[in-house]
Amino acid sequence: MSDTPDTSLMDAFMEAEYIIGGHGSRKIKVLQEAFQHIDGEMYSDHYGSGETIEHFQRRMAEVLGKEAAIFFPSGTMSQQIALRIYCDQKGLKRVAYHPLCHIEIHEENTLKELHQIEAVLLGDKDRLIRLEDVQAIEGDIACLLLELPQREIGGQLPAYEELEAISAYCRERGIKLHLDGARLFEITPYYQKSAAEICSLFDSVYVSFYKGIGGIAGAILAGDTDMIKQSRVWKRRFGGDLIGLYPYILSAQYYYDQRINKMGIYYEQAKQLASLLNQCYGVSTLPEVPVSNMFHVYIERTTAEAEPILSRMTQQFGIGFTSYLNENSETGHCSFELSLGDRYETIPEDRLQSALMWLDEQLRSHGPKD
Protein backbone atom coordinates (compact mmCIF):
# COMPACT_ATOMS: atom_id res chain seq x y z
CA MET A 1 0.00 0.00 0.00
CA SER A 2 1.71 3.15 -1.21
CA ASP A 3 1.31 6.62 0.20
CA THR A 4 1.27 9.05 -2.70
CA PRO A 5 -0.69 12.15 -1.62
CA ASP A 6 -0.97 13.51 -5.16
CA THR A 7 -3.14 10.60 -6.29
CA SER A 8 -6.74 11.66 -6.87
CA LEU A 9 -9.49 10.28 -4.68
CA MET A 10 -11.03 8.54 -7.68
CA ASP A 11 -7.75 6.84 -8.64
CA ALA A 12 -7.04 5.82 -5.05
CA PHE A 13 -10.54 4.38 -4.73
CA MET A 14 -10.24 2.40 -7.97
CA GLU A 15 -6.94 0.88 -6.78
CA ALA A 16 -8.13 0.05 -3.25
CA GLU A 17 -7.89 -3.55 -2.07
CA TYR A 18 -11.21 -3.27 -0.25
CA ILE A 19 -14.33 -1.21 -1.02
CA ILE A 20 -16.78 -0.33 1.75
CA GLY A 21 -20.05 -0.13 -0.20
CA GLY A 22 -22.07 -2.26 -2.57
CA HIS A 23 -21.82 -5.87 -3.61
CA GLY A 24 -18.94 -5.63 -6.08
CA SER A 25 -17.79 -4.01 -9.29
CA ARG A 26 -20.24 -3.88 -12.17
CA LYS A 27 -18.26 -6.26 -14.36
CA ILE A 28 -19.42 -8.85 -16.88
CA LYS A 29 -18.86 -11.57 -14.29
CA VAL A 30 -22.04 -10.37 -12.53
CA LEU A 31 -24.00 -11.67 -15.52
CA GLN A 32 -21.79 -14.73 -15.93
CA GLU A 33 -22.40 -15.80 -12.34
CA ALA A 34 -26.17 -15.44 -12.72
CA PHE A 35 -26.14 -17.58 -15.87
CA GLN A 36 -23.85 -20.36 -14.62
CA HIS A 37 -26.67 -22.72 -13.72
CA ILE A 38 -29.23 -21.65 -16.32
CA ASP A 39 -30.38 -24.26 -18.82
CA GLY A 40 -29.21 -22.99 -22.19
CA GLU A 41 -32.18 -24.61 -23.91
CA MET A 42 -34.63 -22.59 -21.84
CA TYR A 43 -36.73 -20.21 -23.96
CA SER A 44 -36.30 -16.48 -23.43
CA ASP A 45 -39.16 -14.02 -23.11
CA HIS A 46 -40.47 -12.57 -26.37
CA TYR A 47 -41.81 -9.00 -26.45
CA GLY A 48 -43.11 -9.24 -22.88
CA SER A 49 -44.52 -12.76 -23.11
CA GLY A 50 -43.25 -16.21 -22.19
CA GLU A 51 -42.78 -18.17 -18.99
CA THR A 52 -39.41 -16.54 -18.17
CA ILE A 53 -40.92 -13.11 -17.67
CA GLU A 54 -44.42 -14.19 -16.64
CA HIS A 55 -43.17 -16.43 -13.84
CA PHE A 56 -41.02 -13.65 -12.39
CA GLN A 57 -43.88 -11.14 -12.63
CA ARG A 58 -46.27 -13.49 -10.80
CA ARG A 59 -43.66 -14.14 -8.13
CA MET A 60 -43.00 -10.45 -7.54
CA ALA A 61 -46.71 -9.61 -7.45
CA GLU A 62 -47.03 -12.13 -4.62
CA VAL A 63 -43.95 -10.78 -2.80
CA LEU A 64 -45.33 -7.25 -3.01
CA GLY A 65 -48.89 -8.23 -2.15
CA LYS A 66 -50.40 -6.89 -5.37
CA GLU A 67 -52.78 -8.39 -7.94
CA ALA A 68 -50.30 -8.14 -10.80
CA ALA A 69 -46.84 -6.94 -11.76
CA ILE A 70 -44.91 -6.07 -14.89
CA PHE A 71 -41.16 -6.05 -15.54
CA PHE A 72 -39.63 -2.89 -17.02
CA PRO A 73 -36.10 -2.25 -18.30
CA SER A 74 -35.92 0.81 -16.00
CA GLY A 75 -37.62 2.28 -12.96
CA THR A 76 -37.70 5.68 -14.63
CA MET A 77 -39.99 4.29 -17.32
CA SER A 78 -42.22 2.43 -14.87
CA GLN A 79 -42.87 5.41 -12.60
CA GLN A 80 -43.66 7.83 -15.40
CA ILE A 81 -46.19 5.34 -16.69
CA ALA A 82 -47.77 4.82 -13.28
CA LEU A 83 -48.28 8.56 -12.79
CA ARG A 84 -49.60 9.00 -16.32
CA ILE A 85 -52.18 6.26 -15.82
CA TYR A 86 -53.44 7.79 -12.57
CA CYS A 87 -53.69 11.22 -14.16
CA ASP A 88 -55.66 9.82 -17.09
CA GLN A 89 -57.98 7.91 -14.77
CA LYS A 90 -58.86 11.05 -12.86
CA GLY A 91 -58.78 13.41 -15.83
CA LEU A 92 -56.35 15.58 -13.87
CA LYS A 93 -52.71 16.02 -14.81
CA ARG A 94 -51.40 17.01 -11.41
CA VAL A 95 -49.24 14.94 -9.03
CA ALA A 96 -47.29 15.63 -5.85
CA TYR A 97 -43.94 14.48 -4.50
CA HIS A 98 -40.83 15.51 -2.53
CA PRO A 99 -38.67 18.34 -3.95
CA LEU A 100 -35.72 15.91 -4.23
CA CYS A 101 -37.71 13.10 -5.81
CA HIS A 102 -35.83 11.27 -8.60
CA ILE A 103 -38.42 12.40 -11.13
CA GLU A 104 -37.82 16.03 -10.20
CA ILE A 105 -34.02 16.16 -10.18
CA HIS A 106 -32.81 13.35 -12.45
CA GLU A 107 -35.27 12.97 -15.32
CA GLU A 108 -34.93 16.14 -17.41
CA ASN A 109 -38.41 17.54 -16.73
CA THR A 110 -40.00 14.42 -18.20
CA LEU A 111 -43.47 14.69 -16.71
CA LYS A 112 -43.99 18.11 -18.23
CA GLU A 113 -42.27 17.51 -21.56
CA LEU A 114 -43.73 14.08 -22.36
CA HIS A 115 -46.99 14.04 -20.42
CA GLN A 116 -47.85 17.69 -19.65
CA ILE A 117 -48.22 16.72 -15.99
CA GLU A 118 -47.83 19.43 -13.35
CA ALA A 119 -45.75 18.56 -10.29
CA VAL A 120 -46.57 19.90 -6.82
CA LEU A 121 -43.45 19.85 -4.61
CA LEU A 122 -44.36 18.99 -1.04
CA GLY A 123 -42.61 20.14 2.11
CA ASP A 124 -39.03 21.24 2.60
CA LYS A 125 -36.21 19.65 0.61
CA ASP A 126 -34.25 18.89 3.79
CA ARG A 127 -36.94 16.83 5.52
CA LEU A 128 -39.48 14.12 4.87
CA ILE A 129 -43.03 14.71 3.66
CA ARG A 130 -45.49 14.82 6.56
CA LEU A 131 -49.23 14.32 6.75
CA GLU A 132 -49.67 18.03 7.31
CA ASP A 133 -47.91 18.73 3.99
CA VAL A 134 -50.38 16.48 2.16
CA GLN A 135 -53.32 18.06 3.95
CA ALA A 136 -52.08 21.53 2.95
CA ILE A 137 -52.05 20.84 -0.82
CA GLU A 138 -54.08 23.48 -2.60
CA GLY A 139 -56.34 22.03 -5.26
CA ASP A 140 -56.77 18.42 -6.35
CA ILE A 141 -54.05 15.97 -7.31
CA ALA A 142 -54.34 12.62 -9.06
CA CYS A 143 -51.49 10.94 -7.24
CA LEU A 144 -49.03 11.35 -4.39
CA LEU A 145 -45.63 9.69 -4.76
CA LEU A 146 -43.61 8.80 -1.68
CA GLU A 147 -40.00 7.59 -1.84
CA LEU A 148 -38.92 5.12 0.84
CA PRO A 149 -36.21 5.65 1.87
CA GLN A 150 -35.71 9.29 0.81
CA ARG A 151 -32.30 8.89 -0.79
CA GLU A 152 -31.22 12.50 -1.26
CA ILE A 153 -31.54 13.27 2.46
CA GLY A 154 -29.58 10.28 3.66
CA GLY A 155 -32.17 7.58 3.23
CA GLN A 156 -34.46 8.83 5.97
CA LEU A 157 -37.78 7.12 6.72
CA PRO A 158 -40.97 8.40 8.34
CA ALA A 159 -42.49 6.60 11.30
CA TYR A 160 -44.73 3.78 10.12
CA GLU A 161 -47.68 5.45 11.84
CA GLU A 162 -47.10 8.53 9.67
CA LEU A 163 -47.26 6.35 6.56
CA GLU A 164 -50.48 4.79 7.74
CA ALA A 165 -52.00 8.22 8.35
CA ILE A 166 -50.97 9.50 4.90
CA SER A 167 -52.33 6.35 3.27
CA ALA A 168 -55.68 6.66 5.04
CA TYR A 169 -55.94 10.35 4.13
CA CYS A 170 -55.27 9.65 0.44
CA ARG A 171 -57.80 6.83 0.29
CA GLU A 172 -60.48 8.95 1.93
CA ARG A 173 -60.00 11.62 -0.75
CA GLY A 174 -59.51 9.40 -3.78
CA ILE A 175 -55.83 10.27 -4.19
CA LYS A 176 -53.74 7.44 -5.60
CA LEU A 177 -50.65 6.69 -3.52
CA HIS A 178 -47.59 5.37 -5.37
CA LEU A 179 -44.43 4.07 -3.73
CA ASP A 180 -41.01 4.75 -5.19
CA GLY A 181 -39.65 1.63 -3.56
CA ALA A 182 -36.37 1.47 -5.45
CA ARG A 183 -34.85 0.35 -2.14
CA LEU A 184 -37.98 -1.21 -0.66
CA PHE A 185 -36.41 -4.50 0.42
CA GLU A 186 -33.67 -2.61 2.26
CA ILE A 187 -36.17 -0.93 4.64
CA THR A 188 -38.03 -4.05 5.76
CA PRO A 189 -35.62 -4.72 8.70
CA TYR A 190 -36.18 -1.24 10.14
CA TYR A 191 -39.95 -1.32 9.90
CA GLN A 192 -40.07 -5.01 10.89
CA LYS A 193 -42.66 -5.41 8.16
CA SER A 194 -42.73 -7.54 5.02
CA ALA A 195 -42.58 -5.89 1.63
CA ALA A 196 -46.25 -6.81 1.13
CA GLU A 197 -47.27 -5.21 4.43
CA ILE A 198 -45.57 -1.94 3.50
CA CYS A 199 -47.02 -2.02 -0.01
CA SER A 200 -50.53 -2.57 1.35
CA LEU A 201 -50.54 1.14 2.22
CA PHE A 202 -49.99 2.04 -1.46
CA ASP A 203 -51.96 1.60 -4.68
CA SER A 204 -48.82 0.75 -6.64
CA VAL A 205 -45.11 0.25 -6.13
CA TYR A 206 -41.91 0.23 -8.15
CA VAL A 207 -38.87 -1.73 -7.00
CA SER A 208 -35.37 -1.81 -8.46
CA PHE A 209 -33.34 -4.96 -9.08
CA TYR A 210 -29.92 -3.38 -9.47
CA LYS A 211 -29.64 -1.38 -6.24
CA GLY A 212 -29.80 -3.46 -3.06
CA ILE A 213 -30.41 -6.65 -5.03
CA GLY A 214 -27.40 -6.07 -7.30
CA GLY A 215 -28.79 -7.35 -10.60
CA ILE A 216 -27.86 -6.00 -14.04
CA ALA A 217 -30.81 -3.63 -14.47
CA GLY A 218 -34.58 -3.66 -14.48
CA ALA A 219 -37.57 -2.92 -12.30
CA ILE A 220 -40.99 -4.23 -11.33
CA LEU A 221 -44.17 -2.15 -11.23
CA ALA A 222 -46.95 -3.77 -9.21
CA GLY A 223 -50.55 -2.76 -8.63
CA ASP A 224 -54.10 -3.84 -9.37
CA THR A 225 -54.94 -5.86 -12.47
CA ASP A 226 -56.43 -2.97 -14.44
CA MET A 227 -53.53 -0.63 -13.74
CA ILE A 228 -50.97 -3.23 -14.82
CA LYS A 229 -53.01 -4.00 -17.95
CA GLN A 230 -52.79 -0.33 -18.90
CA SER A 231 -49.08 -0.34 -18.02
CA ARG A 232 -48.48 -3.01 -20.66
CA VAL A 233 -49.85 -0.70 -23.33
CA TRP A 234 -47.71 2.20 -22.12
CA LYS A 235 -44.65 -0.03 -21.92
CA ARG A 236 -45.07 -0.76 -25.64
CA ARG A 237 -45.55 2.96 -26.37
CA PHE A 238 -42.34 3.76 -24.49
CA GLY A 239 -40.36 1.18 -26.43
CA GLY A 240 -39.91 -0.92 -23.30
CA ASP A 241 -41.04 -4.19 -24.89
CA LEU A 242 -37.62 -5.34 -26.03
CA ILE A 243 -37.58 -8.59 -27.97
CA GLY A 244 -35.93 -10.15 -24.93
CA LEU A 245 -35.42 -8.88 -21.37
CA TYR A 246 -34.16 -12.21 -20.06
CA PRO A 247 -30.60 -11.08 -19.14
CA TYR A 248 -32.17 -8.58 -16.74
CA ILE A 249 -34.89 -10.92 -15.50
CA LEU A 250 -32.69 -13.95 -14.86
CA SER A 251 -30.02 -11.88 -13.11
CA ALA A 252 -32.70 -10.14 -11.04
CA GLN A 253 -34.14 -13.48 -10.01
CA TYR A 254 -30.71 -14.96 -9.21
CA TYR A 255 -29.48 -12.07 -7.06
CA TYR A 256 -32.87 -11.64 -5.40
CA ASP A 257 -32.60 -15.21 -4.16
CA GLN A 258 -28.99 -14.62 -3.10
CA ARG A 259 -29.59 -11.43 -1.13
CA ILE A 260 -33.19 -10.96 -0.05
CA ASN A 261 -32.53 -12.65 3.30
CA LYS A 262 -29.39 -10.58 3.93
CA MET A 263 -31.09 -7.18 4.18
CA GLY A 264 -31.06 -7.38 7.97
CA ILE A 265 -27.31 -8.06 7.92
CA TYR A 266 -26.64 -5.04 5.69
CA TYR A 267 -28.79 -2.90 8.00
CA GLU A 268 -26.90 -3.96 11.14
CA GLN A 269 -23.57 -3.39 9.41
CA ALA A 270 -24.66 0.10 8.38
CA LYS A 271 -25.49 0.97 11.98
CA GLN A 272 -22.14 -0.38 13.11
CA LEU A 273 -20.17 1.58 10.52
CA ALA A 274 -22.12 4.79 11.13
CA SER A 275 -21.33 4.52 14.84
CA LEU A 276 -17.62 4.24 14.06
CA LEU A 277 -17.71 7.17 11.65
CA ASN A 278 -19.55 9.39 14.12
CA GLN A 279 -16.65 8.93 16.53
CA CYS A 280 -14.28 10.65 14.08
CA TYR A 281 -13.61 14.34 14.62
CA GLY A 282 -15.69 16.54 12.32
CA VAL A 283 -17.57 13.58 10.82
CA SER A 284 -21.29 12.87 11.15
CA THR A 285 -23.82 10.66 9.43
CA LEU A 286 -27.37 11.30 8.28
CA PRO A 287 -29.29 9.64 9.77
CA GLU A 288 -27.10 9.45 12.85
CA VAL A 289 -28.40 5.91 13.28
CA PRO A 290 -29.20 4.54 9.80
CA VAL A 291 -32.66 3.19 9.08
CA SER A 292 -31.55 1.03 6.16
CA ASN A 293 -28.27 -0.10 4.61
CA MET A 294 -27.63 3.42 3.26
CA PHE A 295 -26.69 6.75 4.82
CA HIS A 296 -24.78 9.94 4.05
CA VAL A 297 -21.44 10.87 5.56
CA TYR A 298 -20.67 14.54 6.26
CA ILE A 299 -17.19 15.94 6.84
CA GLU A 300 -16.67 19.44 8.22
CA ARG A 301 -14.12 20.30 5.56
CA THR A 302 -14.27 21.61 2.03
CA THR A 303 -13.77 19.14 -0.79
CA ALA A 304 -10.30 20.59 -1.43
CA GLU A 305 -9.35 19.96 2.21
CA ALA A 306 -10.96 16.54 2.64
CA GLU A 307 -10.08 14.88 -0.65
CA PRO A 308 -6.31 14.57 -0.10
CA ILE A 309 -6.90 13.19 3.41
CA LEU A 310 -9.34 10.55 2.15
CA SER A 311 -7.04 9.73 -0.76
CA ARG A 312 -4.09 9.13 1.57
CA MET A 313 -6.24 7.05 3.91
CA THR A 314 -7.42 4.94 0.98
CA GLN A 315 -3.86 4.34 -0.20
CA GLN A 316 -2.35 3.75 3.23
CA PHE A 317 -4.97 1.28 4.45
CA GLY A 318 -6.26 -0.08 1.15
CA ILE A 319 -9.88 0.68 2.03
CA GLY A 320 -12.01 2.78 -0.32
CA PHE A 321 -14.90 4.64 1.28
CA THR A 322 -15.84 6.82 -1.69
CA SER A 323 -14.62 7.92 -5.11
CA TYR A 324 -16.21 11.38 -4.91
CA LEU A 325 -17.23 14.22 -2.59
CA ASN A 326 -20.17 16.60 -2.88
CA GLU A 327 -19.74 20.09 -1.45
CA ASN A 328 -22.55 22.09 0.13
CA SER A 329 -22.34 25.66 -1.18
CA GLU A 330 -23.95 27.04 1.99
CA THR A 331 -21.82 25.29 4.63
CA GLY A 332 -18.69 24.60 2.61
CA HIS A 333 -18.70 21.07 4.04
CA CYS A 334 -18.56 17.94 1.90
CA SER A 335 -20.37 14.63 1.90
CA PHE A 336 -20.75 11.26 0.22
CA GLU A 337 -23.17 8.35 0.25
CA LEU A 338 -22.65 4.80 1.47
CA SER A 339 -24.82 1.76 0.74
CA LEU A 340 -23.62 -1.45 2.33
CA GLY A 341 -23.77 -4.87 0.71
CA ASP A 342 -21.70 -8.02 0.36
CA ARG A 343 -18.37 -6.19 0.22
CA TYR A 344 -18.46 -4.92 3.79
CA GLU A 345 -18.03 -8.32 5.45
CA THR A 346 -14.76 -8.88 3.54
CA ILE A 347 -13.01 -5.90 5.17
CA PRO A 348 -10.62 -6.79 8.02
CA GLU A 349 -12.08 -5.21 11.15
CA ASP A 350 -8.69 -4.23 12.58
CA ARG A 351 -7.69 -2.49 9.36
CA LEU A 352 -10.99 -0.60 9.22
CA GLN A 353 -10.60 0.59 12.81
CA SER A 354 -7.00 1.65 12.15
CA ALA A 355 -8.09 3.62 9.09
CA LEU A 356 -10.79 5.46 11.03
CA MET A 357 -8.42 6.20 13.92
CA TRP A 358 -5.99 7.67 11.38
CA LEU A 359 -8.80 9.73 9.82
CA ASP A 360 -9.78 11.04 13.26
CA GLU A 361 -6.18 12.10 13.97
CA GLN A 362 -5.81 13.79 10.60
CA LEU A 363 -9.02 15.79 10.98
CA ARG A 364 -8.10 16.81 14.54
CA SER A 365 -4.64 17.95 13.45
CA HIS A 366 -6.21 20.55 11.16
CA GLY A 367 -8.15 22.08 14.05
CA PRO A 368 -11.84 23.11 14.15
CA LYS A 369 -13.42 24.73 11.10
CA ASP A 370 -15.54 27.88 11.21
Side-chain angles (χ1 to χ4, degrees):
M1 293 176 286
S2 62
D3 186 16
T4 309
D6 292 333
T7 301
S8 72
L9 180 57
M10 171 65 80
D11 288 342
F13 180 85
M14 295 300 292
E15 295 171 4
E17 182 179 0
Y18 299 99
I19 301 296
I20 289 284
H23 299 301
S25 300
R26 293 188 63 80
K27 296 180 178 179
I28 301 302
K29 65 181 181 181
V30 175
L31 185 59
Q32 290 175 323
E33 180 182 335
F35 273 60
Q36 275 183 351
H37 305 294
I38 297 293
D39 179 3
E41 295 302 311
M42 176 181 177
Y43 281 100
S44 72
D45 58 302
H46 186 75
Y47 290 118
S49 298
E51 186 58 18
T52 298
I53 189 168
E54 291 170 11
H55 168 76
F56 189 64
Q57 289 172 164
R58 289 193 300 269
R59 183 183 181 192
M60 287 301 110
E62 183 176 353
V63 166
L64 300 171
K66 296 301 179 188
E67 293 178 358
I70 179 171
F71 190 89
F72 280 89
S74 78
T76 297
M77 184 185 296
S78 72
Q79 295 208 113
Q80 290 176 23
I81 286 171
L83 297 186
R84 174 61 187 265
I85 289 170
Y86 290 143
C87 285
D88 286 350
Q89 286 178 347
K90 195 161 186 175
L92 174 65
K93 290 197 171 184
R94 197 163 183 255
V95 300
Y97 47 66
H98 191 274
L100 298 182
C101 170
H102 190 281
I103 292 175
E104 183 66 17
I105 65 175
H106 293 302
E107 298 181 20
E108 305 292 347
N109 207 22
T110 297
L111 287 186
K112 179 181 177 182
E113 296 296 332
L114 294 187
H115 304 283
Q116 295 76 53
I117 293 175
E118 176 191 352
V120 178
L121 305 184
L122 286 192
D124 188 282
K125 65 181 180 63
D126 296 321
R127 65 166 174 81
L128 295 164
I129 291 174
R130 301 168 183 157
L131 174 61
E132 62 202 56
D133 298 317
V134 184
Q135 293 171 329
I137 296 174
E138 295 183 2
D140 293 333
I141 59 170
C143 178
L144 168 64
L145 179 152
L146 295 182
E147 180 185 352
L148 303 178
Q150 193 74 51
R151 179 191 180 184
E152 299 294 336
I153 53 173
Q156 295 184 56
L157 287 171
Y160 199 74
E161 294 73 20
E162 183 91 18
L163 284 180
E164 291 177 314
I166 292 174
S167 175
Y169 180 86
C170 287
R171 286 179 178 168
E172 288 170 3
R173 285 154 182 79
I175 300 170
K176 294 295 185 180
L177 187 59
H178 172 75
L179 171 58
D180 178 339
R183 296 166 176 80
L184 169 65
F185 301 124
E186 293 92 307
I187 68 174
T188 55
Y190 174 75
Y191 280 138
Q192 290 293 291
K193 305 282 186 182
S194 68
E197 287 175 307
I198 297 170
C199 292
S200 69
L201 302 178
F202 296 82
D203 295 286
S204 57
V205 55
Y206 135 70
V207 292
S208 168
F209 286 96
Y210 78 86
K211 293 184 170 68
I213 296 300
I216 304 301
I220 279 282
L221 177 66
D224 65 40
T225 303
D226 182 62
M227 187 263 193
I228 297 303
K229 182 179 179 180
Q230 293 181 60
S231 298
R232 294 185 189 282
V233 176
W234 276 104
K235 182 182 175 186
R236 178 62 60 90
R237 289 169 176 165
F238 266 66
D241 263 338
L242 308 186
I243 188 170
L245 287 166
Y246 67 93
Y248 307 130
I249 296 165
L250 294 177
S251 72
Q253 184 169 269
Y254 175 81
Y255 288 109
Y256 175 86
D257 289 337
Q258 292 288 311
R259 292 171 177 145
I260 191 60
N261 292 323
K262 298 175 73 174
M263 296 299 165
I265 296 173
Y266 305 148
Y267 170 50
E268 293 300 325
Q269 290 171 337
K271 291 192 290 185
Q272 176 197 50
L273 179 58
S275 176
L276 293 173
L277 284 163
N278 279 302
Q279 294 174 42
C280 294
Y281 183 79
V283 177
S284 61
T285 67
L286 182 67
E288 181 178 357
V289 178
V291 292
S292 72
N293 68 321
M294 76 163 292
F295 56 92
H296 288 186
V297 182
Y298 290 83
I299 304 175
E300 295 179 7
R301 298 288 185 275
T302 64
T303 297
E305 293 166 337
E307 183 165 319
I309 296 175
L310 291 178
S311 179
R312 286 195 297 270
M313 181 182 72
T314 302
Q315 292 176 282
Q316 184 170 332
F317 296 94
I319 301 176
F321 279 79
T322 185
S323 62
Y324 72 94
L325 291 171
N326 294 320
E327 187 166 310
N328 186 307
S329 59
E330 296 178 3
T331 65
H333 298 164
C334 61
S335 65
F336 60 93
E337 179 180 292
L338 281 176
S339 293
L340 299 195
D342 289 347
R343 278 171 157 171
Y344 186 72
E345 65 183 6
T346 69
I347 300 170
E349 187 174 344
D350 58 346
R351 193 186 294 193
L352 175 61
Q353 291 179 342
S354 295
L356 292 176
M357 287 177 61
W358 183 90
L359 176 62
D360 176 70
E361 292 171 357
Q362 290 296 309
L363 292 173
R364 287 181 187 278
S365 70
H366 287 77
K369 307 304 290 183
D370 293 332

